[in-house]
């Protein structure tokens, strides 16, 4: 069974940076996609960024493009989300998700991802 554990959330002032990490275990599939989603209070979950484990084809939502960078360390089975120029509207619970070749609805669609972490809070003031 796939397990995803996020870390790196916290509180930061507007304009600051944070880096989130998501460590995957129980995952032996060689080709899959991992993504970060976020959900602000009272809003729907939003796909923020995704990346294939090959390291290719990163995708970003328009709301974070140019400010956030997703990357992957295959040796550590860890995906990162570097968040720069943070804004108060980036405040949300950020959750890591993984797909291993099942049904596919798009890189930033939550329906594509059967495996989810527990989430980590990011607060920008």
């Amino acid at each position: 069974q796939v397990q995803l554990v996020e870390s790196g959330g916290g509180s930061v002032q507007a304009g600051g940076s944070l880096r989130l990490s998501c460590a995957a275990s129980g995952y032996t599939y060689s080709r899959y996609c991992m993504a970060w989603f976020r959900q602000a209070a009272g809003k729907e979950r939003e796909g923020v960024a995704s990346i294939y484990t090959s390291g290719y084809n990163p995708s970003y939502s328009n709301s974070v493009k140019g400010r956030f960078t997703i990357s992957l360390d295959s040796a550590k089975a860890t995906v990162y989300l570097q968040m720069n120029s943070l804004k108060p509207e980036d405040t949300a619970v950020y959750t890591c998700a993984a797909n291993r070749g099942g049904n596919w609805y798009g890189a930033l669609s939550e329906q594509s991802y059967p495996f989810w972490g527990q989430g980590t809070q990011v607060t920008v003031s």
Side-chain angles (χ1 to χ4, degrees):
Q1 183 68 12
V2 176
Q3 292 185 329
L4 304 171
V5 179
E6 302 97 335
S7 62
S11 297
V12 64
Q13 291 188 338
S17 299
L18 282 174
R19 189 178 80 156
L20 305 182
S21 300
C22 173
S25 61
Y27 215 158
T28 58
Y29 201 71
S30 61
R31 181 176 177 84
Y32 56 94
C33 190
M34 297 186 73
W36 286 97
F37 288 78
R38 69 183 182 186
Q39 187 167 24
K43 295 188 177 181
E44 294 186 353
R45 182 178 286 171
E46 172 191 17
V48 172
S50 68
I51 189 168
Y52 287 91
T53 56
S54 61
Y56 295 124
N57 294 335
S59 298
Y60 299 95
S61 67
N62 289 333
S63 59
V64 306
K65 196 173 296 182
R67 300 187 298 120
F68 290 11
T69 302
I70 189 170
S71 61
L72 182 70
D73 185 333
S74 297
K76 297 181 179 179
T78 299
V79 63
Y80 303 98
L81 185 67
Q82 178 65 45
M83 305 184 294
N84 298 329
S85 302
L86 283 162
K87 305 174 182 180
E89 51 263 43
D90 294 318
T91 295
V93 174
Y94 285 72
T95 308
C96 176
N99 169 285
R100 62 177 185 184
N103 294 333
W104 188 248
Y105 299 91
L108 296 180
S109 171
E110 61 180 298
Q111 294 178 294
S112 297
Y113 298 91
F115 305 108
W116 294 82
Q118 81 288 352
T120 185
Q121 177 70 44
V122 171
T123 302
V124 184
S125 59

